[in-house]
Amino acid sequence: MENLEFSSDTFATALDSDLSSTATSGNQEKSGTRLFEFGSILENISKENFTFAASTSGQNQMSPETRKLKKKHWSKTSQDSFSSTSDAKSTYASSSTSILFPGSTQKVDVSILSSKKKDNFKPTNDQDSKHGTSATASVSIAAEEVCEKWRLRGNQAYGNGDLAKAEDYYTQGLNSVSQTEKSKGCLRALMLCYSNRAATRISLRRMKDALKDCLMAAAIDPNFLKVQVRAAHCYLAIGEVENSTFQYMKCLQSGGDICIDRKLLVDASEGLEKAQKVTQCLKQYTELPRRTPEDLECALKVIDEALRISNYSEQLLQMKADTLLMLQRYEQIILMCEQTLSPDGSDSWRSNLIVKSYFYLGKLEEAHEFIKKQESSGRITERLESMSLDSMIPLADTISELLSRKAAGNEAYKSGRYSEAVENYTSALSCSVESRPFAAICFCNRAAAYRALGQISDAIADCSLAIALDPSYLKAISRRASLYEMIRDYGQATNDLRRLVSSLTSQMDKSNQLRQTQIRLYNIEEESKKEIPLNMYLILGVESTAAASEIKKAYRKAALKHHPDKAALLVSRSDNGDDRLWKEISENVYKDADRLFKMIGEAYAVLSNPSKRSQYDMDEEMRNEINKFTRSSSGRMASDVQSTIFERSGSRRFQDSWRPSVYSQSKGQERWQYSRYS
């Protein structure tokens, strides 16, 4: 906490000259009788060209003693104050005079004016002057006492840790003194209140408000170095390095002229060193390259070092947020921006970065809620910038559109309208794939709709896209394992389930799902030992009774749709920073699409050949009979029957020839291989 000013002796003597001159002029007014001079009044009257007319009626009404006294007073005044013509003297010698205004016939009796002058322009004596000065001093003393009372209350609240109440007390103390007050005591009380309120606002982390109070206190007493050092601290905290350096230098240069506490000089010296450190960090940051993640990490360390000193600097905070955005640390950006978000919404860059971070995290619902909250409170005054250089649609509208399309797809799927669900998910994906987790969800949901429509290859392709965009998306991994199991590609299903088990093992709250996945993996591994061939019809998405023309048509459609080069275009990057990440995503998509494309080609090679298709259909029929018999008989009996059938048909040779083999490395590239039946 900042130290408060408790002593009244800390008020410097900068105001003494002004106040002493004021006191001197007051003493001059007190000495002798203060007379109002009428020369100026008469001069003004003469400038207006008044016409005077004498009258004797007033004089006749005066008693002899009054006329004698008046004549004597007039004679004395004329000798001391006036040098006039005989006509003017005769005019003022009359006891009753009328004034005729220009352009008017109305006359005003001068005797009335004379009587008013006697009442209103009485000589001011020493007693009246003393009374006025005393009244003014009393008001000043009362204001000073009230201000001091609030300041002491504020000090007590500050000491108790009640900063809000302390700030309120100091504010009431400042408001208790008139802005026109110039007495030394009141100005001293004001200065201390400003200084103490500044210390309170520093503790409340409101550096800009504290700086204003410091400057007010320094304006009252420029020689009060403690508040100037405090102002320099505020400048440094908000990142105004040049101003803080100037203030520190000013304090250090004034140290030899004014007797001050040595601690202030030490604080100013240390503050100057910190300001120079921030300047060095800013220079180093501008010189650093920011091409690779390693470069960005170095830049982030430099910014953090500067922020340890200027921790309220808007410039440094925004530089850190931009660097975190390039490093894709979205959660950290949201936390940092929310902690420093101003109530008035003047820092719109924070709101924009929070929405961007939610968007890139795939949390579009949270982004939408944040936008609505900001708009309802009036904090967002500008539209959020567009996410795409080729589109003028603001990010807020993009988020609303994506959520709307996804919700429509979910509703259609629940209602059994799978084709409509596919259309809505496709519309959402065509709108934007920059939010990778959200796009992964849409791909995975569309895969579920494709599966319901019997388009297994399309479903596998969408699951692969979802996994490429979000490798930690466990639902997509599990769904693709199920799809591989459906087409009897047990090797790929096993790989996905092992990957799923590995991910679930590190999550303590997924123990039940982990056990189910382990059981599922065991069963598929047992099936893989049987070396059953792939389901060719299911891969092409046709019935077993389909004509050759239908098979050819289905193959052409699938081959065109799942060509590796075309699949990579579905996740082409836009403006979300990391080129290496999108390159890795594209490579994974291409690899999965290439595997699927070759699988489709091999299925067509079997089904388009009449003899191979006939042999495949025969084996499928036998397999179906075995499965029916196995479900109704004991395991041992089913095993005997299966041996007999395979011995008679020689289908073991066909089964071995068409089972999928594992990946084989050929000149550094992976490719799908089948052993062709000859």
Side-chain angles (χ1 to χ4, degrees):
M1 276 191 173
E2 288 280 335
N3 294 326
L4 302 182
E5 282 68 54
F6 291 91
S7 173
S8 61
D9 297 334
T10 57
F11 185 72
T13 59
L15 301 170
D16 289 349
S17 59
D18 294 338
L19 296 174
S20 62
S21 62
T22 305
T24 303
S25 62
N27 293 334
Q28 289 175 352
E29 290 177 359
K30 292 179 181 180
S31 61
T33 302
R34 184 178 178 185
L35 297 174
F36 285 91
E37 295 180 1
F38 293 90
S40 60
I41 299 175
L42 295 175
E43 183 180 355
N44 291 336
I45 293 175
S46 64
K47 288 180 181 179
E48 296 293 339
N49 297 323
F50 289 111
T51 303
F52 294 90
S55 173
T56 58
S57 59
Q59 186 178 355
N60 295 334
Q61 296 175 0
M62 293 183 183
S63 63
E65 293 80 1
T66 303
R67 286 196 298 270
K68 184 177 180 181
L69 181 61
K70 182 174 180 63
K71 184 176 181 180
K72 182 178 179 181
H73 178 70
W74 168 253
S75 176
K76 182 178 179 180
T77 305
S78 299
Q79 294 174 3
D80 295 339
S81 304
F82 296 96
S83 175
S84 181
T85 61
S86 58
D87 294 337
K89 289 182 180 179
S90 63
T91 302
Y92 276 90
S94 175
S95 61
S96 180
T97 309
S98 297
I99 302 176
L100 180 64
F101 289 92
S104 174
T105 58
Q106 184 178 2
K107 296 181 179 180
V108 180
D109 195 345
V110 179
S111 63
I112 299 175
L113 295 176
S114 177
S115 64
K116 290 183 179 181
K117 290 177 183 179
K118 292 178 181 178
D119 295 335
N120 297 335
F121 298 93
K122 292 181 179 179
T124 305
N125 54 28
D126 293 342
Q127 185 176 0
D128 294 336
S129 177
K130 289 180 180 179
H131 178 74
T133 304
S134 176
T136 303
S138 298
V139 173
S140 298
I141 292 172
E144 178 187 353
E145 290 177 352
V146 172
C147 182
E148 190 69 11
K149 178 185 70 174
W150 287 115
R151 186 177 71 85
L152 293 176
R153 288 185 180 180
N155 292 351
Q156 184 176 5
Y158 186 93
N160 294 334
D162 194 344
L163 301 178
K165 186 175 289 186
E167 182 186 20
D168 180 62
Y169 286 155
Y170 293 134
T171 302
Q172 293 192 52
L174 293 170
N175 294 337
S176 65
V177 179
S178 173
Q179 295 181 355
T180 60
E181 184 60 59
K182 294 183 179 180
S183 68
K184 180 177 179 180
C186 282
L187 290 176
R188 175 191 60 80
L190 279 175
M191 183 202 65
L192 294 179
C193 262
Y194 275 122
S195 180
N196 287 6
R197 191 173 71 171
T200 305
R201 287 177 167 177
I202 289 174
S203 299
L204 290 169
R205 300 182 179 181
R206 289 161 48 194
M207 296 298 171
K208 291 184 178 180
D209 292 335
L211 177 60
K212 292 178 182 178
D213 284 347
C214 289
L215 296 179
M216 290 295 294
I220 295 174
D221 183 8
N223 292 327
F224 188 25
L225 295 187
K226 183 173 184 178
V227 79
Q228 291 190 17
V229 173
R230 188 171 289 165
H233 291 341
C234 292
Y235 275 128
L236 183 59
I238 63 177
E240 296 188 18
V241 182
E242 292 183 1
N243 289 332
S244 66
T245 301
F246 174 79
Q247 287 286 345
Y248 287 132
M249 292 295 297
K250 183 179 177 181
C251 295
L252 292 173
Q253 291 171 359
S254 302
D257 301 333
I258 303 174
C259 183
I260 60 173
D261 187 358
R262 178 176 174 80
K263 185 177 181 300
L264 290 179
L265 296 177
V266 174
D267 288 345
S269 179
E270 292 177 351
L272 184 60
E273 292 179 0
K274 292 179 180 178
Q276 293 171 350
K277 181 64 176 178
V278 173
T279 303
Q280 293 174 0
C281 289
L282 289 171
K283 182 179 179 181
Q284 184 180 357
Y285 176 82
T286 56
E287 295 174 351
L288 283 173
R290 288 183 288 278
R291 301 185 189 92
T292 65
E294 292 75 17
D295 294 338
L296 294 173
E297 289 289 350
C298 292
L300 189 61
K301 289 180 180 179
V302 173
I303 297 172
D304 285 336
E305 188 175 358
L307 277 171
R308 280 193 285 270
I309 300 173
S310 300
N311 49 349
Y312 296 96
S313 171
E314 286 292 297
Q315 178 188 4
L316 290 173
L317 288 171
Q318 190 166 3
M319 289 163 60
K320 180 177 181 178
D322 292 338
T323 306
L324 290 172
L325 188 65
M326 288 186 282
L327 287 168
Q328 301 178 27
R329 298 182 184 177
Y330 305 121
E331 296 284 1
Q332 193 172 346
I333 293 173
I334 294 172
L335 180 63
M336 185 192 79
C337 291
E338 286 182 342
Q339 288 177 344
T340 59
L341 188 65
S342 63
D344 58 358
S346 58
D347 43 8
S348 59
W349 66 268
R350 285 183 175 84
S351 299
N352 291 347
L353 284 178
I354 289 173
V355 174
K356 275 186 179 181
S357 298
Y358 276 132
F359 181 78
Y360 290 139
L361 285 170
K363 299 180 179 180
L364 271 64
E365 290 82 1
E366 288 84 345
H368 188 62
E369 287 298 322
F370 179 82
I371 292 171
K372 290 198 301 184
K373 182 179 179 181
Q374 298 297 302
E375 288 177 344
S376 63
S377 61
R379 293 177 181 174
I380 292 182
T381 57
E382 299 177 356
R383 299 285 287 174
L384 296 173
E385 65 267 18
S386 174
M387 289 296 299
S388 174
L389 295 177
D390 299 327
S391 174
M392 297 304 292
I393 301 175
L395 179 57
D397 293 340
T398 301
I399 291 173
S400 299
E401 181 69 15
L402 289 173
L403 289 174
S404 175
R405 293 297 183 183
K406 178 194 168 189
N410 292 347
E411 181 62 29
Y413 181 85
K414 291 177 181 178
S415 302
R417 305 190 305 274
Y418 303 120
S419 297
E420 183 181 340
V422 169
E423 291 178 1
N424 282 289
Y425 292 133
T426 303
S427 178
L429 291 167
S430 63
C431 182
S432 174
V433 293
E434 293 176 34
S435 177
R436 292 184 289 107
F438 183 82
I441 292 173
C442 289
F443 276 123
C444 190
N445 288 2
R446 192 173 70 172
Y450 277 137
R451 177 178 176 175
L453 291 171
Q455 300 172 222
I456 304 303
S457 295
D458 294 341
I460 291 175
D462 275 0
C463 284
S464 297
L465 288 167
I467 295 169
L469 289 170
D470 186 3
S472 62
Y473 191 15
L474 302 184
K475 188 174 183 180
I477 298 173
S478 177
R479 183 163 291 169
R480 190 173 70 173
S482 298
L483 293 168
Y484 279 135
E485 184 180 2
M486 289 180 67
I487 64 173
R488 300 200 292 262
D489 190 350
Y490 298 119
Q492 291 301 314
T494 299
N495 292 338
D496 281 344
L497 289 177
R498 286 173 179 170
R499 180 177 178 179
L500 188 60
V501 168
S502 177
S503 298
L504 292 173
T505 303
S506 60
Q507 302 182 25
M508 302 300 296
D509 57 335
K510 300 291 183 65
S511 57
N512 187 36
Q513 185 179 353
L514 175 61
R515 286 194 300 269
Q516 293 177 357
T517 304
Q518 288 172 335
I519 295 172
R520 184 179 165 193
L521 175 61
Y522 174 79
N523 293 332
I524 290 181
E525 286 176 340
E526 291 298 314
E527 288 293 323
S528 66
K529 295 177 181 179
K530 300 176 183 179
E531 300 181 346
I532 303 174
L534 298 174
N535 190 329
M536 304 299 182
Y537 290 106
L538 204 55
I539 291 173
L540 292 181
V542 296
E543 298 291 337
S544 60
T545 58
S549 59
E550 294 179 3
I551 292 175
K552 186 176 182 179
K553 182 179 179 181
Y555 164 71
R556 288 182 175 178
K557 181 180 178 181
L560 180 63
K561 186 175 184 179
H562 299 296
H563 194 280
D565 294 335
K566 188 174 182 180
L569 297 176
L570 296 174
V571 291
S572 59
R573 73 169 295 278
S574 47
D575 301 324
N576 189 15
D578 194 347
D579 291 332
R580 296 195 308 173
L581 173 65
W582 285 99
K583 183 179 180 181
E584 181 181 349
I585 290 173
S586 297
E587 289 176 353
N588 290 333
V589 170
Y590 186 93
K591 181 178 65 177
D592 292 333
D594 185 62
R595 184 190 304 115
L596 180 61
F597 182 76
K598 290 178 179 178
M599 189 187 301
I600 292 170
E602 294 294 341
Y604 179 68
V606 173
L607 299 181
S608 62
N609 187 308
S611 61
K612 292 180 180 179
R613 180 181 180 184
S614 177
Q615 186 65 48
Y616 178 79
D617 289 343
M618 186 184 301
D619 284 333
E620 281 292 296
E621 184 179 355
M622 291 180 182
R623 235 182 328 270
N624 292 335
E625 291 179 0
I626 292 173
N627 290 335
K628 291 179 182 178
F629 188 81
T630 301
R631 285 192 295 267
S632 60
S633 305
S634 64
R636 182 174 178 277
M637 186 180 297
S639 177
D640 293 339
V641 172
Q642 185 176 7
S643 284
T644 305
I645 292 176
F646 274 101
E647 286 175 0
R648 283 192 308 226
S649 63
S651 61
R652 170 71 63 181
R653 185 161 55 97
F654 179 84
Q655 180 182 9
D656 291 340
S657 65
W658 284 105
R659 63 180 176 85
S661 64
V662 297
Y663 297 112
S664 63
Q665 298 293 330
S666 176
K667 295 182 181 181
Q669 293 182 345
E670 292 182 348
R671 63 192 183 104
W672 186 269
Q673 291 184 341
Y674 288 93
S675 300
R676 290 185 177 274
Y677 175 77
S678 58

